[in-house]
Amino acid sequence: AQSVAQPEDQVNVAEGNPLTVKCTYSVSGNPYLFWYVQYPNRGLQFLLKYITGDNLVKGSYGFEAEFNKSQTSFHLKKPSALVSDSALYFCAVSPQNRDDKIIFGKGTRLHILP
Amino acid sequence: GAVVSQHPSWVICKSGTSVKIECRSLDFQATTMFWYRQFPKQSLMLMATSNEGSKATYEQGVEKDKFLINHASLTLSTLTVTSAHPEDSSFYICSARLGPGPYEQYFGPGTRLTVT
């Protein structure tokens, strides 16, 4: 079965430190990969996506993600965390078929400590 | 661009009544819209996939007679929670995609439903 794993329910990082939110996937073929962020009582906002090409993808708010095909991972990163980055982050995968659905991970809550 | 709106943002209703939630893509046409349910501190649960002009495809375990979905146009999908009960209280989020494959989903701001 196709799935997305976010192994950490919560990640705590001190402000100014680099952050990483992990994501691995199990999908056949070469999927498209996404990261979304959700602030309290809001819908999800698109951060970035990987389609093809350079393994390092840059997105909104200074975030970037690194695609690793051999490890089937797509970890979200930021060099210097801000308190305002505290939110719920979702990794998602879109298989390369005609299915319209995107498969979401369960989410990782990021706490940036001042 | 790519803005999705939802209305209402929150609603309180009495048990046994029905509630309609609207989802609109404001600046693009969405052949496919999705409806999710999110419980506190939990991930998104896909309820159904809504295609314009055809019946919605419901995920396993979602009662199609209870959660009525209509996708009447390329910019509007509605979710009606019929005969609502307190256990239907939740955060409902819709989304829309420009297309399959590499296209991301754009999400509405969500609707908080409370059934008393």
Side-chain angles (χ1 to χ4, degrees):
Chain A
Q2 302 180 110
S3 64
V4 177
Q6 292 181 243
E8 302 152 318
D9 290 337
Q10 182 169 311
V11 171
N12 297 322
V13 177
E15 186 177 25
N17 283 3
L19 68 87
T20 299
V21 182
K22 295 179 181 177
C23 172
T24 59
Y25 62 91
S26 176
V27 175
S28 58
N30 297 310
Y32 305 109
L33 303 162
F34 307 86
W35 275 100
Y36 291 83
V37 60
Q38 184 182 29
Y39 298 100
N41 297 311
R42 303 287 297 276
L44 279 67
Q45 294 179 29
F46 168 73
L47 273 180
L48 51 79
K49 66 180 176 182
Y50 173 82
I51 299 176
T52 187
D54 194 347
N55 289 343
L56 187 64
V57 179
K58 295 187 182 298
S60 305
Y61 311 121
F63 283 93
E64 57 191 26
E66 186 170 11
F67 170 64
N68 187 315
K69 186 173 183 178
S70 62
Q71 297 184 3
T72 61
S73 67
F74 190 54
H75 300 333
L76 182 70
K77 300 181 179 183
K78 187 172 183 180
S80 179
L82 300 173
V83 173
S84 57
D85 293 330
S86 298
L88 185 59
Y89 290 82
F90 291 96
C91 179
V93 171
S94 176
Q96 273 201 20
N97 55 25
R98 292 299 301 173
D99 191 329
D100 286 329
K101 289 188 289 189
I102 288 180
I103 304 166
F104 283 86
K106 63 178 175 63
T108 297
R109 190 162 297 279
L110 179 62
H111 284 288
I112 307 302
L113 309 172
Chain B
V3 178
V4 176
S5 70
Q6 265 183 259
H7 178 81
S9 55
W10 59 271
V11 58
I12 301 172
C13 70
K14 292 186 177 180
S15 188
T17 61
S18 295
V19 174
K20 180 184 285 188
I21 302 170
E22 290 188 349
C23 177
R24 293 181 185 272
S25 57
L26 298 183
D27 50 2
F28 66 101
Q29 293 184 332
T31 54
T32 304
M33 289 185 172
F34 304 87
W35 287 95
Y36 294 85
R37 184 172 177 177
Q38 187 177 33
F39 296 95
K41 298 183 180 181
Q42 293 191 16
S43 186
L44 301 171
M45 183 192 82
L46 179 64
M47 300 174 66
T49 302
S50 168
N51 291 295
E52 186 265 340
S54 64
K55 291 183 178 180
T57 302
Y58 290 82
E59 295 299 302
Q60 192 173 11
V62 178
E63 299 176 61
K64 62 180 181 181
D65 294 330
K66 179 161 188 65
F67 299 100
L68 299 178
I69 291 172
N70 182 272
H71 196 153
S73 75
L74 289 171
T75 60
L76 173 64
S77 177
T78 60
L79 167 67
T80 301
V81 182
T82 62
S83 186
H85 291 283
E87 57 265 30
D88 299 325
S89 299
S90 193
F91 193 54
Y92 293 88
I93 309 175
C94 73
S95 72
R97 286 181 90 177
L98 290 167
Y103 292 99
E104 59 269 29
Q105 287 187 9
Y106 294 96
F107 286 82
T111 297
R112 173 75 59 192
L113 170 63
T114 302
V115 184
T116 60

